[in-house]
Amino acid sequence: ADASAIVISDYLKGCVTASVMGAAIAAGHTYGIPVLVDPKVPHIGAYAGATVITPNHHEAEMATHMRVANDGHARDAARLFREQSACDAVLMTRGDQGMWLLGPAVEGSLQAAAREVADVTGAGDTVIATMALAIAAGATLAEAARLANEAAGISVGKFGPAVVTPMELLTRFS
């Protein structure tokens, strides 16, 4: 009850089961806590009721059987993904094509924030962690997505799984 956000990163290792997801989402609803999910396609039905799901474009393509090659494709795939998963919002990461955000009151493309790409390891983790922190702190979905996009841009400029510091993120907005 004291949590400000619940983050589920599904790695298909057997820990994230339908009952675990159900309990997490129920707790989120009971306590008014946002539930954010980094998904795997085989479990898409278990995420129903999540606040935000953050598929990458490959996951969105597999789930929707749609190619995501441009903004129009991303829009259509995000809409179908949201419908299939029964979540509130989708933030689809698209590598050098940026992100596509679809929520109850917002929809659109975010241009990639990366200036240089050294290693994409952990970029998705950076995105969902930043989204969760921003939403927990009171940011709107659009504000959280913008912060997550910038954080991912910093992360991929480093080698290996990288930490993005608050100061690094702040410098992107100064």
Side-chain angles (χ1 to χ4, degrees):
D2 293 332
S4 298
I6 298 170
V7 176
I8 306 287
S9 289
D10 192 347
Y11 290 100
L12 283 180
K13 302 294 183 186
C15 296
V16 179
T17 63
S19 63
V20 167
M21 279 307 310
I25 291 169
H29 290 179
T30 297
Y31 296 107
I33 301 166
V35 179
L36 295 90
V37 181
D38 189 357
K40 290 297 182 228
V41 174
H43 295 163
I44 193 168
Y47 308 138
T51 309
V52 180
I53 301 179
T54 61
N56 63 40
H57 68 282
H58 298 298
E59 292 162 336
E61 287 176 337
M62 286 189 295
T64 63
H65 304 289
M66 300 174 76
R67 181 157 158 64
V68 179
N70 58 43
D71 282 352
H73 295 160
R75 179 197 62 233
D76 295 343
R79 288 176 179 176
L80 183 55
F81 189 97
R82 181 177 173 202
E83 180 181 311
Q84 289 175 337
S85 63
C87 66
D88 294 339
V90 173
L91 179 64
M92 181 193 315
T93 59
R94 301 172 55 214
D96 64 356
Q97 297 299 306
M99 298 180 179
W100 187 269
L101 176 63
L102 171 63
V106 63
E107 182 174 25
S109 177
L110 290 90
Q111 185 177 10
R115 295 183 177 131
E116 287 185 24
V117 177
D119 189 346
V120 298
T121 303
D125 298 316
T126 298
V127 167
I128 198 164
T130 305
M131 285 289 293
L133 285 169
I135 290 170
T140 66
L141 188 61
E143 292 166 340
R146 182 163 181 232
L147 286 168
N149 189 38
E150 293 295 335
I154 295 165
S155 174
V156 300
K158 301 178 181 185
F159 289 101
V163 172
V164 175
T165 67
M167 189 54 68
E168 287 174 311
L169 194 52
L170 280 172
T171 61
R172 290 288 186 113
F173 294 95
S174 55

